[in-house]
Amino acid sequence: MTDKLPHAPLPYAEVIGDPIEHSKSPLIHNFWLRALDIEAEYRKTHVPPEGLAAYFLARRADPDWLGCNVTIPHKIAVMDYTDDPGGVRERIGAMNTIASEAGGPLIGTNTDAGGFLQPLLRDKWKGQSAVIVGSGGAARAILFALASLGVPDISIMARDPARGQALLDRAGVRGRAIGMEDALPAADLLVNATSLGMVGQPPLQLDLTPLADDATVYDIVYAPLETDLLKAAKARGLRTLDGLEMLIGQAALAFDIFFDAEAPRELDAELRALLLSGEE
C-alpha cells in the first residue's frame, strides 16, 4: 500500500482589509473558479494598517501568491508598496488590486472605477450631476469614473470638505465640496462611497428631498445589502443600485488579472442568489 502524496499548494489570490470578516469576495471568486474548473483558490486575510509592510514582505516570498484585492482602509496606503505602470496614482489616487509578477514587481491598479460604472452603463444612465459621499479610496475611483463619463457637475460630501475640494481640483471637475451636515445639492445621482451604513458602523442619514425625482441612489455598502439609505431612496420612489453591483463588477476585472480567465458573467443571477443566501 502506497501512502498518499501531500497535495501541492494551490495558486491563490486574496482580499485584505481591516475589518475583513464581512467580505464576500472569496465567495465570488471561488464560485467562478469552480465554474471554470480552475485549480486555484481565493482567500480573505485580516491585515491591520501597521501590518501592511510585513504582509507584502511575506507574500512576495510566496511563489503561489497571485496578488490581492484591497479594501478599507488600505486603498491609498498600498500605493507605497507597488509599481504603477498605468499611472493609477496620478489618475485615481487609490488602488484596490495588486498583481504579483513572478520574480518581478508588484503591479497596482484599480478595478473599482470600472466595476462602479458597469450598472450605470448597462442602464444607459445619462445624468448631468452627481454627489459622492466620502473622500477615501473608493470615492477617488468613483470620482474618476464619473469624470470619465463626462458628468459636468460632481460634488463631494465629506467630513473634511477641504479634502473633498482637493480631490475635485485634482480631477479638474466642476463642483463643490460640502460637509456631512450640509444639505444635499440637487443631483441626478447620489453615491455612498463610505462605510457608513455597513454592519457595525453608524448609518448614513441624509435628507433626499433635493434629489431629482428620477435620480439614482447607489450605495456601495453590501453588508447589509439594503442599507437605510437605499430604504429611504425606495420610499421616495427613486431608482437604487446596491453594493453587489460594484462588488461583482470590480471582482470580474480582478479575476481576469489574477487567474488569466474571463469571469463567467452569464452566471450572475446564480451568483447573486448565492451571495444573498449567505452560504459559503
Side-chain angles (χ1 to χ4, degrees):
M1 183 174 179
T2 304
D3 291 338
K4 290 183 179 180
L5 294 173
H7 291 293
L10 290 175
Y12 71 98
E14 61 192 333
V15 58
I16 64 170
D18 180 29
I20 198 61
E21 293 80 11
H22 68 282
S23 177
K24 294 183 181 294
S25 292
L27 193 154
I28 296 170
H29 286 267
N30 288 319
F31 173 84
W32 288 333
L33 289 170
R34 290 192 297 269
L36 297 175
D37 198 24
I38 295 174
E39 292 192 3
E41 61 182 341
Y42 188 99
R43 311 168 181 174
K44 58 184 171 185
T45 300
H46 176 240
V47 179
E50 66 274 14
L52 269 182
Y55 167 80
F56 284 116
L57 183 64
R59 288 300 189 267
R60 289 178 73 115
D62 186 344
D64 297 311
W65 185 64
L66 302 174
C68 65
N69 285 123
V70 181
T71 188
I72 295 170
H74 302 318
K75 293 184 180 184
I76 297 172
V78 294
M79 293 190 294
D80 292 339
Y81 303 94
T82 65
D83 281 17
D84 182 25
V88 173
R89 285 183 183 86
E90 181 62 30
R91 294 186 300 117
I92 299 178
M95 293 175 177
N96 80 315
T97 303
I98 297 172
S100 174
E101 300 287 340
L106 301 182
I107 304 299
T109 189
N110 194 304
T111 63
D112 277 341
F116 168 80
L117 279 182
Q118 285 180 8
L120 295 178
L121 296 175
R122 178 195 66 209
D123 296 345
K124 298 180 172 57
W125 182 81
K126 297 185 182 300
Q128 296 297 300
S129 57
V131 179
I132 301 169
V133 183
S135 58
R140 293 174 188 224
I142 289 166
L143 176 60
F144 172 81
L146 292 175
S148 72
L149 278 187
V151 179
D153 184 3
I154 306 173
S155 298
I156 291 181
M157 174 178 277
R159 291 189 181 94
D160 180 358
R163 183 177 178 185
Q165 188 61 53
L167 295 184
L168 290 169
D169 293 344
R170 175 179 179 174
V173 172
R174 182 173 67 86
R176 63 190 179 105
I178 58 177
M180 296 296 291
E181 304 302 321
D182 292 332
L184 282 175
D188 304 313
L189 175 67
L190 171 66
V191 184
N192 176 30
T194 75
S195 61
L196 293 174
M198 183 186 294
V199 173
Q201 299 292 325
L204 176 59
Q205 297 178 322
L206 298 173
D207 179 2
L208 304 183
T209 304
L211 297 180
D213 290 338
D214 59 351
T216 297
V217 176
Y218 192 157
D219 196 335
I220 71 168
V221 169
Y222 58 83
L225 189 59
E226 187 175 56
T227 61
D228 288 346
L229 177 65
L230 293 185
K231 289 177 183 177
K234 290 177 180 178
R236 240 210 78 185
L238 303 177
R239 173 166 173 71
T240 60
L241 292 170
D242 63 47
L244 289 187
E245 296 278 6
M246 179 172 169
L247 180 67
I248 294 172
Q250 65 82 23
L253 298 173
F255 185 85
D256 195 1
I257 292 170
F258 296 141
F259 303 109
D260 196 25
E262 189 172 326
R265 298 299 302 274
E266 68 275 10
L267 301 179
D268 271 11
E270 183 181 346
L271 173 58
R272 191 176 178 93
L274 181 64
L275 290 165
L276 293 175
S277 75
E279 296 177 5
E280 293 295 332

